[in-house]
Amino acid sequence: MAITEKAAPPGVAPEDGTPGADATPDPPDREGWHLSSPLALTLLLLLVVVFQGPVRGALSTPVMQSWMTVFVAVVVQALPFLVLGVLLSAAIAVFVPPSFFARALPGRPALAVPVAGLAGAVLPGCECASVPVAGALVRRGVTPAAAIAFLLSAPAINPIVLTATAVAFPRNPEMVLARFAGSLLVACGMGWLWQRLGRTDWLRLPAHAHHEGETKAEAFWDSVRHDTVHAGGFLVLGAMAAATLKAVAPAEWLRTAAANPAIAILALSILAVLLSICSEADAFVAASLTQFSLTAKLAFLIVGPMIDLKLFAMQAGTFGRGFALRFAPATFVAAIGGAVLTGAVLL
């Protein structure tokens, strides 16, 4: 009787060492990745060493030094408050029940807008903190009109910003009241404008995991990691753009613009967008522009916390590019109008 060789089970190699018919070999690309990663890192380090002279020379030029100074300053100023906003956003998403907002805000959206705008006075942060918090409010069921009012008011009327404004303008205490009133007016106006003309398909929020099976602490830190990576990337992009424009803009443009009141207001409004200065520090920059009028400086202080390069990038990443492309120009025009109106009354 002939002896037949016993077939190996599917996916198991027979005794002679040849793979079975259904055996699944190790993916070659994964092994190649492990082998090539040290090689790629070695090549990168080698390129840095070889070209360190040209790189060092390029970085030592005045333009690059100015670029790096502005970039680092914007990121360092904004990052702590971005982290604060991320922590508040995660806390709202995980620990605060949705019913809280239904009780805290009026049922009518028209009344919820000014209440949310005034609520921005209690957040001790800048515009980088308000973006993720506003996103969390919308995800928790708050009407977008009220979240927009909070988004615009919080960076400009919180106690830290108003205190910094008072310190920066010791001889013009009316600047504090003008900044508070003008910023709140614009924030509520934009909230009501969204309530009347806004469409839900313009607003896109990033998808968040439901954290099923996780404890509240695990869900909190998962949300923190997600929002930090998401918002931080757009902050870096915005800071890079602001640093590039700051490094190449001629200084004599400011002196020429200050001679005409209307051009001065528009020039400082555009400058606020380009510089992307954190709202905790912008009052000192505005006070240093001694050749400009108080109304032009007020426009700088109202426009900057509401729309600048890094804010546009962060708003596009949080709420969608379609929202940012419509929201940014409208906010810019409304902020200038609010500054002119408030300056005519209070300054």
Side-chain angles (χ1 to χ4, degrees):
M1 184 174 64
I3 301 176
T4 59
E5 183 176 351
K6 185 178 180 181
V12 179
E15 294 180 359
D16 61 358
T18 59
D22 297 326
T24 303
D26 290 335
D29 56 338
R30 180 178 300 177
E31 183 179 357
W33 168 258
H34 288 302
L35 292 177
S36 62
S37 295
L39 178 60
L41 180 59
T42 302
L43 291 176
L44 178 61
L45 293 176
L46 182 61
L47 289 175
V48 171
V49 172
V50 171
F51 294 101
Q52 62 175 325
V55 171
R56 186 180 303 169
L59 294 179
S60 63
T61 60
V63 172
M64 285 304 302
Q65 288 182 347
S66 175
W67 188 94
M68 288 187 293
T69 299
V70 175
F71 173 77
V72 173
V74 171
V75 173
V76 169
Q77 284 180 345
L79 192 57
F81 300 102
L82 174 64
V83 174
L84 172 63
V86 166
L87 293 174
L88 290 175
S89 172
I92 290 173
V94 175
F95 297 108
V96 179
S99 59
F100 170 80
F101 301 106
R103 296 192 304 266
L105 293 176
R108 296 179 58 186
L111 295 179
V113 167
V115 172
L118 287 172
V122 303
L123 178 64
C126 73
E127 56 271 23
C128 299
S130 65
V131 173
V133 173
L137 292 176
V138 176
R139 285 193 297 269
R140 300 298 277 181
V142 173
T143 174
I148 285 173
F150 175 87
L151 168 70
L152 297 179
S153 67
I157 67 173
N158 71 71
I160 294 178
V161 171
L162 295 180
T163 300
T165 305
V167 173
F169 292 91
R171 298 183 180 180
N172 304 104
E174 64 273 16
M175 284 291 289
V176 179
L177 178 60
R179 184 173 196 178
F180 177 88
S183 299
L184 184 60
L185 174 66
V186 175
C188 293
M190 288 300 299
W192 286 322
L193 182 64
W194 175 270
Q195 179 189 349
R196 184 174 182 83
L197 301 178
R199 292 166 45 181
T200 55
D201 59 337
W202 292 347
L203 197 63
R204 293 289 185 270
L205 291 178
H208 274 230
H210 296 289
H211 309 294
E212 296 180 358
E214 294 182 338
T215 65
K216 286 187 177 296
E218 292 172 341
F220 174 80
W221 288 115
D222 283 348
S223 181
V224 167
R225 286 191 292 268
H226 175 276
D227 285 349
T228 299
V229 174
H230 188 266
F234 287 98
L235 170 62
V236 170
L237 291 177
M240 292 174 63
T244 301
L245 291 172
K246 171 64 175 176
V248 301
E252 54 269 16
W253 285 5
L254 295 180
R255 292 191 293 268
T256 303
N260 186 296
I263 295 179
I265 293 174
L266 181 60
L268 285 196
S269 300
I270 296 175
L271 185 66
V273 174
L274 300 183
L275 291 183
S276 304
I277 302 175
C278 189
S279 60
E280 271 73 19
D282 60 358
F284 299 97
V285 176
S288 67
L289 302 173
T290 55
Q291 64 268 47
F292 288 90
S293 65
L294 288 179
T295 301
K297 296 177 183 178
L298 180 63
F300 182 89
L301 297 178
I302 292 180
V303 171
M306 294 188 176
I307 179 62
D308 58 29
L309 289 179
K310 71 177 186 297
L311 261 180
F312 178 82
M314 293 176 64
Q315 289 170 2
T318 302
F319 300 106
R321 186 172 58 181
F323 170 85
L325 289 175
R326 296 175 175 88
F327 185 72
T331 303
F332 181 75
V333 174
I336 294 178
V340 172
L341 178 61
T342 307
V345 175
L346 298 177
L347 299 181

